[in-house]
Amino acid sequence: MKTIKYLFLAGLLGCFMAVFNACSNGSKGYVINGQVEGLDDGTVVTLVPMSHDNDSAIAEATVQGGKFQIIGVAGEPICAQIRVKDSFGGPYVMLENVEIGVKGKITEVSDVPAGKFYNWDAKVTGSPLTDKLAAFDARHDSLDILYREYQEKFAETYKKMHSLQGTELAAFMKTDECKAAVDAEKNFFDTVDKTIFGMVNDNKDSFWGPLLLTKYLNYLSKEQADYYNSLPENVKNSFYGKKIQMEIWPELAIADQVKAFKLKGDDGKEYDFAKLADGKKYILLDFWASWCGPCRKELPNVKKAYATFKDKGFEVVSISIDQKEEDWRKALKEEQLQWPNFRDNAVADQFKVKAVPTVYLCDAEGNIVAANEECRGEKLAQKLAELLK
């Protein structure tokens, strides 16, 4: 089955200032007037940029009598989400210097590992750019319907496919039933590519191109390098143009962090890169989590590389983003990792970790020599063999 990288079902902003004196200083900015049901007085709502980074809120307001107001100045159009503080869920608005209304009902749905989730049944008015974003979203959301349709139609086929192995699976793959399911999946992803990249490419001469690419894909990689290189300079220098550059080439974004990060070990001592790299030639910084299936499937490759090259100057440093220490320690016991292990979300943020697994292969001086896909699977051992020959 094909891995879905698209979003389905589911000092920053230097040109932005959360200025509550916008009227007094004569600058024209945006004003977001919220009128909502379901939030208690004193509830704080925040305005958070839509991106793959863990961006901080650029403004916040307190609900009183079912109303809130957020004021700021937009130097360029940015897509932002209105959320209850430290929670998930909320409407997206395009920040432009106009008066924007948000009206509706809010319901707390459930707790999630990193906070709470709220359903906002709210309508945004007064922003032409937000209306245009809604039109893009409608085209994207139509893919959800197609996805559910083909998944429901072939649910039993996929279930049977996953239950078979070896010769039985090979024989089933040749049946008309299975071929129809495979064709349906291919047609779906062809439609996804055509729809999403159609919107992205049709708008590459404006900020909309990189914005939509960020909004509709879970992650970016060097597969999108040609797209970035084809953008006009002004689009490359836009907020989302810079964002996608840093995500496609993460080594640019975190190069200065390799030598700067610090981790605290179980022994109470503080470790930095120099201490961890002492006596080593190459170090793999591996960001993972106990709940991450792909992370744990990758561990046998890392263990194999470690066993082969540890005596030749190779080290692994694993940094977990687990919220619960007990989950992390349980996974460590199960996996029997033989290299230094830490749990630190702050360091993960320093390294712009948006998803796990994220890996960086560094030399002893802290220079990144390979990242992510370049040092996963068999490529890790191949790269180390090349470097340590």
Side-chain angles (χ1 to χ4, degrees), residues 87-135:
S87 75
F88 296 91
Y92 287 102
V93 297
M94 290 297 301
L95 297 182
E96 54 181 322
N97 294 319
V98 297
E99 189 167 333
I100 303 170
V102 179
K103 184 176 182 179
K105 187 174 182 179
I106 304 171
T107 307
E108 182 179 336
V109 179
S110 61
D111 288 324
V112 292
K116 295 181 178 180
F117 184 88
Y118 288 84
N119 178 49
W120 288 61
D121 183 11
K123 183 175 179 60
V124 179
T125 57
S127 166
L129 289 181
T130 301
D131 292 342
K132 186 170 182 177
L133 178 66

Side-chain angles (χ1 to χ4, degrees), residues 172-183:
F172 182 64
M173 294 290 287
K174 296 178 181 179
T175 65
D176 290 341
E177 176 188 354
C178 188
K179 288 179 180 178
V182 171
D183 287 344

Side-chain angles (χ1 to χ4, degrees), residues 268-300:
K269 296 180 180 179
E270 193 174 70
Y271 291 82
D272 57 13
F273 181 80
K275 183 177 290 187
L276 293 166
D278 186 32
K280 306 297 180 182
K281 296 180 180 179
Y282 294 96
I283 301 90
L284 184 74
L285 299 178
D286 177 22
F287 292 90
W288 71 298
S290 64
W291 45 260
C292 170
C295 298
R296 300 187 71 162
K297 287 181 180 178
E298 180 68 17
L299 282 174

Side-chain angles (χ1 to χ4, degrees), residues 187-242:
N187 290 336
F188 169 72
F189 279 101
D190 286 346
T191 302
V192 168
D193 284 345
K194 183 177 180 180
T195 302
I196 291 180
F197 286 103
M199 290 190 289
V200 168
N201 287 317
D202 288 347
N203 293 276
K204 67 191 304 180
D205 290 336
S206 77
F207 67 89
W208 283 112
L211 186 158
L212 296 175
L213 187 71
T214 302
K215 194 168 192 290
Y216 297 146
L217 268 66
N218 279 318
Y219 62 88
L220 305 179
S221 67
K222 288 184 172 60
E223 289 181 7
Q224 284 77 46
D226 288 344
Y227 173 79
Y228 173 81
N229 290 330
S230 71
L231 296 174
E233 284 302 313
N234 66 311
V235 178
K236 287 181 179 178
N237 290 322
S238 69
F239 177 76
Y240 287 105
K242 293 175 182 177

